């Protein structure tokens, strides 16, 4: 799967974008993808999803306890969008107006486990609350929504997501769906067929990008090779992979390179692997990730960026 490269007239605008919002949609798409057609999403929504466990503790830099750490990284690093809840963005955006923001429209904590109840992440507010922030000068380019495919609440979340995408597109905003197969009906969340199915659901709901977990390797194929099936199933919805828990930089960058060049991914969505580091190291990692995602660097060259031996800027 090839990603569209950058001229405004190459952006495939969905027909549910209102004619008067067409140029706004293209502006937002170009800003989010840094004019490459690929998405480098800095995921900062875990303060609800994982509570404070991702921000304080063994192996996590002390700077990560302060929420402003996220915005310093987003400002000083190279990212496409910073994704977070509306309230989080509202508290800091005035001091970081240069960041492209993606407002996460729903969230839930990890306290209630699947064994107790299937997951449901309700929408926290309506689109008007986000559009009001945009009118106030916040650089909101898109929305995000998490959908748990296979949950007994799947139908409710699909209906919410579908309506949200229609309204967002009408207003010229892009939408990224987080889709994770999860619930009592799901025995293997990372089965390649399920990941490909999630990608197809995102396309049918109208998402511009879908964030999925990398599929597991099988006897016949590597994880990246199985990802190619999902990327193809996603059609004109760009597929990006979740970054997962923190690993060493070389391993992470190698996986990312394979996801794009073998798996056909159109970018990445990374949170913990970035923000659990010191500010300097986190900024360098955003540059290394973006070097691969946005500029097709090889792993060795991106690693040199992470190590401070080279710089990367757009």
């Amino acid at each position: 799967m090839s990603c569209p490269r950058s001229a405004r007239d190459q952006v495939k605008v969905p027909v549910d974008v209102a004619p008067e919002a067409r140029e706004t949609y293209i502006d937002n798409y170009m800003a989010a993808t840094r004019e490459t057609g690929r998405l480098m999403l800095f995921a900062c929504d875990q303060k609800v999803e994982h509570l404070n466990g991702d921000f304080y503790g063994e192996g996590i830099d002390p700077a990560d306890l302060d929420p402003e750490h996220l915005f310093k990284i987003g400002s000083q690093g190279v990212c496409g969008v910073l994704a977070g809840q509306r309230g989080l963005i509202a508290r800091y955006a005035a001091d970081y107006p240069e960041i492209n923001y993606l407002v996460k429209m729903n969230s839930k904590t990890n306290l209630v486990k699947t064994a107790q109840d299937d997951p449901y992440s309700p929408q926290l507010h309506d689109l008007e609350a986000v559009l009001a922030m945009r009118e106030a000068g916040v650089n909101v380019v898109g929305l995000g929504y998490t959908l748990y495919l296979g949950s007994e609440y799947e139908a409710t979340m699909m209906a919410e997501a579908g309506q949200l995408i229609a309204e967002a597109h009408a207003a010229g905003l892009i939408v990224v769906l987080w889709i994770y197969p999860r619930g009592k009906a799901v025995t293997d969340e990372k089965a390649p067929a399920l990941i490909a199915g999630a990608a197809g659901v995102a396309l049918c709901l109208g998402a511009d990008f879908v964030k999925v977990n990398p599929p597991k390797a099988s006897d016949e194929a590597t994880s990246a090779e199985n990802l190619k099936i999902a990327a193809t199933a996603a059609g004109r919805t760009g597929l990006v992979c979740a970054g997962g828990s923190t690993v060493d930089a070389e391993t992470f960058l190698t996986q990312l390179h394979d996801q794009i060049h073998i798996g056909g991914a159109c970018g990445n969505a990374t949170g913990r692997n970035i923000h659990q580091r010191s500010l300097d190291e986190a900024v360098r990692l955003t540059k290394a990730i973006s070097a691969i995602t946005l500029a097709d660097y090889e792993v060795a060259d991106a690693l040199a960026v992470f190590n401070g031996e080279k710089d990367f800027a757009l």
Side-chain angles (χ1 to χ4, degrees):
M1 177 179 175
S2 61
C3 294
R5 283 287 181 178
S6 33
R8 291 179 67 87
D9 61 5
Q10 290 180 307
V11 178
K12 295 187 181 299
V13 181
V15 296
D16 59 346
V17 174
E20 64 272 18
R22 183 181 176 88
E23 292 304 313
T24 300
Y25 176 91
I26 295 173
D27 287 343
N28 289 331
Y29 184 91
M30 295 288 278
T33 65
R34 303 299 292 266
E35 302 187 353
T36 68
R38 289 185 183 164
L39 185 67
M40 192 292 195
L41 186 150
F42 179 28
C44 299
D45 59 327
Q46 298 101 338
K47 291 188 79 68
V48 174
E49 301 292 338
H50 302 159
L51 300 177
N52 213 43
D54 279 355
F55 299 87
Y56 183 78
E58 185 178 354
I60 300 173
D61 192 275
D64 203 18
L65 183 59
D66 182 354
E68 193 166 4
H69 182 62
L70 303 171
F71 295 85
K72 291 177 180 178
I73 296 168
S75 176
Q76 297 177 34
V78 178
C79 302
V81 292
L82 185 155
Q85 289 82 7
R86 185 190 65 85
L88 175 67
I89 292 170
R91 286 290 179 178
Y92 293 90
D95 292 333
Y96 299 91
E98 69 282 2
I99 295 174
N100 296 321
Y101 292 105
L102 187 133
V103 178
K104 189 75 188 304
M105 298 295 285
N106 67 333
S107 283
K108 70 168 192 62
T109 75
N110 58 358
L111 291 175
V112 177
K113 306 302 181 186
T114 304
Q116 179 181 343
D117 191 20
D118 272 7
Y120 172 45
S121 186
Q123 193 167 316
L124 300 173
H125 43 77
D126 61 23
L127 179 60
E128 294 304 315
V130 176
L131 296 180
M133 286 175 56
R134 187 172 71 168
E135 291 299 316
V138 180
N139 190 25
V140 178
V141 300
L143 307 178
Y145 184 97
T146 296
L147 197 164
Y148 297 104
L149 205 64
S151 167
E152 62 184 290
Y153 306 106
E154 170 194 284
T156 301
M157 287 180 281
M158 287 180 68
E160 284 188 1
Q163 183 63 30
L164 182 65
I165 291 168
E167 294 175 357
H169 279 177
L173 295 170
I174 69 166
V175 181
V176 181
L177 288 184
W178 282 234
I179 300 191
Y180 303 128
R182 193 164 296 167
K184 298 183 186 71
V186 178
T187 57
D188 188 351
E189 294 182 6
K190 297 185 180 181
L194 266 182
I195 299 299
V201 168
L203 170 68
C204 293
L205 289 173
D208 300 286
F209 292 92
V210 59
K211 175 188 176 186
V212 298
N213 281 317
K216 68 180 185 181
S218 58
D219 291 340
E220 300 80 19
T222 66
S223 173
E225 288 168 343
N226 282 329
L227 184 66
K228 180 67 175 177
I229 300 169
T232 304
R236 290 183 176 177
T237 293
L239 181 142
V240 302
C241 281
S245 56
T246 300
V247 296
D248 69 273
E250 184 172 7
T251 297
F252 180 82
L253 293 172
T254 301
Q255 290 172 347
L256 173 61
H257 187 273
D258 288 350
Q259 287 165 359
I260 291 173
H261 293 284
I262 298 173
C266 275
N268 69 286
T270 309
R272 288 168 283 179
N273 263 286
I274 295 172
H275 66 69
Q276 289 183 346
R277 305 171 190 266
S278 68
L279 178 59
D280 177 66
E281 188 174 318
V283 166
R284 284 187 278 112
L285 185 55
T286 69
K287 292 181 177 182
I289 291 170
S290 290
I292 289 175
T293 301
L294 306 177
D296 281 336
Y297 273 39
E298 295 299 325
V299 173
D301 295 322
L303 196 58
V305 172
F306 173 73
N307 290 331
E309 298 159 4
K310 298 180 179 180
D311 195 18
F312 176 77
L314 291 172

